[in-house]
Structure formats: structure tokens, C-alpha cells
Amino acid sequence: HQVVAALRHELFHHPHPDLPSLVQRAELHAAKAPSGSAGPYEPVICDTIRVGGRAVHTITTVMRFDKPSDVTMAELRVELMFPADEAAERVFRELVEALGS
């Protein structure tokens, strides 16, 4: 639900032709997911993704570089995803090793 709120925020403040359909898709998926206790603009999202059939618990945050006088910087977003537990860290390390070979 936090992702949907963040997408709506982006759509309002930085309109882009691809965002309305992305927001609709996110809303459909969020409607099926259990509601969390965090507010819509929490600094992190604790999410579970599937990698190779395994549930991987993650902590995700998005950095923004807003500066009113610099439009390019205001549009830049960097999403950072971290493993939330030891099992997730193993999966990430396995992926890095597989890419390195």
C-alpha cells in the first residue's frame, strides 16, 4: 500500500504518461495484499519478493534529490533494496556470484 501511495504522489507532483497505468496495476495488486501498519510516506518499505520461487524479505527505500531550481535533479530517484534477514542476504549473494561467473 505504501508503494501505491508513493506512485500517486509521483503522479501528482511529476506527471508522466506511463504513471497512470502503473498506478492502476499497483492498486490491483495492493487490493489483494494484506494491509500493513506503516503510513503512506514511511521512509522504508518492508516487502517480500519472489526470486526463483523463494520468498525473499527486503527493506527498500527511495532516495530523492529534490532541488527546486534543478528540474533534472528533482526527477531523479534511486531505489535501494537491502536484505531484511540472513536468508535474504544469502539469496542476494548467490545472485551476485551467479552474475560474476
Side-chain angles (χ1 to χ4, degrees), residues 5-63:
L7 285 172
R8 286 183 187 137
H9 178 82
E10 288 299 313
L11 180 61
F12 180 78
H13 292 286
H14 306 285
H16 187 278
D18 294 337
L19 278 178
S21 63
L22 185 59
V23 170
Q24 286 180 332
R25 286 183 59 198
E27 287 171 339
L28 289 173
H29 290 289
K32 299 174 192 173
S35 179
S37 60
Y41 299 108
E42 293 295 321
V44 298
I45 298 171
C46 298
D47 204 5
T48 301
I49 59 174
R50 298 205 70 73
V51 177
R54 295 184 283 185
V56 179
H57 303 286
T58 64
I59 298 171
T60 304
T61 189
V62 177
M63 292 188 335

Side-chain angles (χ1 to χ4, degrees), residues 39-99:
Y41 299 108
E42 293 295 321
V44 298
I45 298 171
C46 298
D47 204 5
T48 301
I49 59 174
R50 298 205 70 73
V51 177
R54 295 184 283 185
V56 179
H57 303 286
T58 64
I59 298 171
T60 304
T61 189
V62 177
M63 292 188 335
R64 296 169 44 167
F65 300 93
D66 288 341
K67 186 176 173 188
S69 62
D70 191 338
V71 174
T72 303
M73 290 297 286
E75 293 175 353
L76 181 63
R77 304 289 184 271
V78 177
E79 183 173 345
L80 303 168
M81 182 181 290
F82 302 95
D85 55 27
E86 289 181 22
E89 184 169 348
R90 279 193 302 275
V91 170
F92 285 142
R93 289 188 185 279
E94 290 170 7
L95 291 170
V96 168
E97 289 176 13
L99 289 173

